[in-house]
Amino acid sequence: MASSSNSFICVIILLITSFGHVHGCYESIISFGDSLADTGNLIRLSKSNKIVASSVLPYGETFFHHPTGRFSDGRLVIDFIAEGMGFPLVPPYVGVMKNMSRSKNSLRGVNFAVAGATAVDISYLEKRGIKNPATNVSLGTQLEWFKQMLPILCDSPTSCKEFLENSLFLMGEIGGNDYNHPFSQGKSGEDVQSFVPAVISAIGLAINELIELGAQTLIVPGNLPIGCSASYLTIFKNSNKKEYDDSTGCINWLNDFAEYHNQLLQQEIHKLREIHPHANIIYADYYNAAMQIYESPKKFGFTSTIVACCGGGGPYNYDSKRPCGSPSSNYCDTPSSYVSWDGVHLTEAAYKLIAKGLLQGPYTIPQMNNGLCNKGISDQ
């Protein structure tokens, strides 16, 4: 990591991979994913008579002071990555398309992530009796949007080649809803685990297609420790203490499930690296970046880890019938001391620590190196 005395050096290194590739600053950020990355697509896609939780306070209250469509009290991991690399916040695709005449020349990224989106196509879940109550958008849908928009982002084969090579692609997080929906609709752990290979395959196919289009650098996040989620802790609450981790209060078998997904995802990434040795495919270890918080909350300034700041009551302050933002919900006075925001998503404070763990280490494989275009994350 370069010291301040070396800050005048013109040539910098941002990423160093085990394959010996070196990359400097990026010109654009392209993002895909679900509600962990959505910066406002779902609220713009939803019908006018359907209220989306992220469109009402207290969503957005901490940083923006108004709802933006983000499912948190403030910024998300993608926002901190953008800020840490000196980019403006990445705008949502639907908003960009509605204001294209004004925004085309100033675009430095587009976010295609949609809250509720799945990695697999909606038909895969429907054939298994599972409904997606939020959206019919999948990772494949988002990839199609990107391909349709590419001629707008670059206007010639040469400029498109340069654009793709010099863009940083964030692949989610995606895949969590492929499990959230069936789990919440009564499917067993064994049933849902059988979906994992299809989910990983969908993510792998999308990565492969982007690389074949010309993408060079992709960050691929794994799943969070869902056994620490207030929603899962509420759904699967039971009196068997052996199912819970003594130190964190998280449900062990659900965290094992998340690690199984992450293991298969890393195996898929390894295969893709062998097929595309010129590409930088970076695994973002969301699981362990979050687990450090659950295991040592006081170290990071948190007083509550598994109880939601905003929710409808109960032991974990989560009630799917009285979600955060509804008239009968309650929310805490200090979101920055909570890890869980609404029982499903995390607070800005938690996302900030996860982002720091990615940009400054050690939670990416290969490690991201803190060069000049990785300016770090401010304390604000």
Side-chain angles (χ1 to χ4, degrees):
M1 189 177 296
S3 67
S4 58
S5 63
N6 293 327
S7 62
F8 61 89
I9 297 176
C10 295
V11 179
I12 61 169
I13 296 172
L14 174 64
L15 297 176
I16 300 177
T17 77
S18 57
F19 307 105
H21 292 117
V22 176
H23 282 259
C25 296
Y26 299 99
E27 296 179 3
S28 179
I29 295 179
I30 304 297
S31 171
F32 304 92
D34 55 27
S35 57
L36 298 190
D38 186 355
T39 54
N41 281 314
L42 183 64
I43 59 170
R44 291 171 171 83
L45 289 170
S46 296
K47 296 177 181 178
S48 58
N49 63 346
K50 183 179 180 181
I51 298 175
V52 177
S54 63
S55 67
V56 297
L57 286 170
Y59 284 88
E61 68 167 14
T62 296
F63 181 78
F64 303 99
H65 309 299
H66 62 86
T68 64
R70 289 167 174 81
F71 281 78
S72 183
D73 61 308
R75 291 164 290 183
L76 311 178
V77 171
I78 181 178
D79 296 316
F80 288 113
I81 288 176
E83 289 179 354
M85 291 187 172
F87 284 90
L89 300 183
V90 185
Y93 160 74
V94 180
V96 169
M97 293 304 290
K98 288 181 178 178
N99 298 285
M100 182 51 69
S101 60
R102 291 186 309 214
S103 61
K104 179 181 177 181
N105 294 331
S106 61
L107 272 180
R108 294 200 64 195
V110 183
N111 187 359
F112 297 90
V114 178
T118 54
V120 299
D121 188 79
I122 188 67
S123 61
Y124 178 92
L125 297 176
E126 289 177 341
K127 288 177 183 177
R128 290 154 180 81
I130 301 157
K131 297 178 180 179
N132 186 336
T135 181
N136 61 359
V137 172
S138 66
L139 180 57
T141 310
Q142 296 173 30
L143 189 55
E144 286 303 312
W145 289 345
F146 171 68
K147 289 190 290 184
Q148 291 166 14
M149 194 179 186
L150 196 54
I152 300 172
L153 297 169
C154 50
D155 54 13
S156 71
T158 300
S159 65
C160 284
K161 182 176 185 293
E162 292 177 354
F163 172 80
L164 291 162
E165 287 179 350
N166 295 317
S167 293
L168 178 65
F169 288 82
L170 302 179
M171 302 302 297
E173 188 268 351
I174 190 73
N177 289 318
D178 300 64
Y179 314 130
N180 294 340
H181 297 320
F183 271 132
S184 66
Q185 293 169 36
K187 296 293 182 180
S188 69
E190 186 178 0
D191 283 341
V192 181
Q193 186 162 315
S194 69
F195 302 168
V196 178
V199 173
I200 299 302
S201 177
I203 297 170
L205 287 170
I207 295 169
N208 187 71
E209 187 166 357
L210 284 167
I211 294 173
E212 290 186 343
L213 282 171
Q216 291 274 0
T217 306
L218 306 95
I219 298 177
V220 186
N223 206 341
L224 287 166
I226 60 174
C228 303
S229 167
S231 60
Y232 276 107
L233 285 161
T234 300
I235 294 169
F236 294 102
K237 185 177 184 296
N238 67 78
S239 59
N240 185 358
K241 293 184 179 180
K242 291 182 179 180
E243 290 197 1
Y244 296 85
D245 183 85
D246 292 336
S247 62
T248 63
C250 305
I251 297 177
N252 291 318
W253 71 267
L254 282 166
N255 279 352
D256 290 342
F257 178 95
E259 290 197 279
Y260 174 66
H261 166 95
N262 294 341
Q263 180 184 4
L264 265 59
L265 180 60
Q266 290 180 79
Q267 290 174 3
E268 182 71 13
I269 289 172
H270 179 71
K271 293 176 186 176
L272 289 165
R273 285 172 178 154
E274 291 186 332
I275 297 169
H276 304 286
H278 64 283
N280 293 300
I281 310 173
I282 302 161
Y283 175 68
D285 188 0
Y286 277 27
Y287 184 95
N288 284 304
M291 279 307 298
Q292 65 169 336
I293 306 172
Y294 291 113
E295 291 171 349
S296 305
K298 291 182 180 179
K299 175 182 176 182
F300 300 103
F302 294 98
T303 59
S304 177
T305 55
I306 56 178
V307 175
C309 168
C310 181
Y316 301 102
N317 198 27
Y318 176 81
D319 185 339
S320 61
K321 295 179 181 178
R322 296 193 299 159
C324 177
S326 64
S328 59
S329 65
N330 65 82
Y331 65 98
C332 64
D333 294 329
T334 55
S336 62
S337 65
Y338 281 69
V339 175
S340 175
W341 166 241
D342 59 7
V344 178
H345 311 95
L346 307 185
T347 59
E348 175 182 279
Y351 284 137
K352 182 176 183 178
L353 273 172
I354 291 172
K356 276 189 173 182
L358 306 182
L359 289 176
Q360 300 170 12
Y363 296 108
T364 59
I365 304 172
Q367 295 278 303
M368 296 180 71
N369 192 47
N370 194 16
L372 289 184
C373 54
N374 180 352
K375 302 175 185 303
I377 297 172
S378 71
D379 293 329
Q380 296 182 349

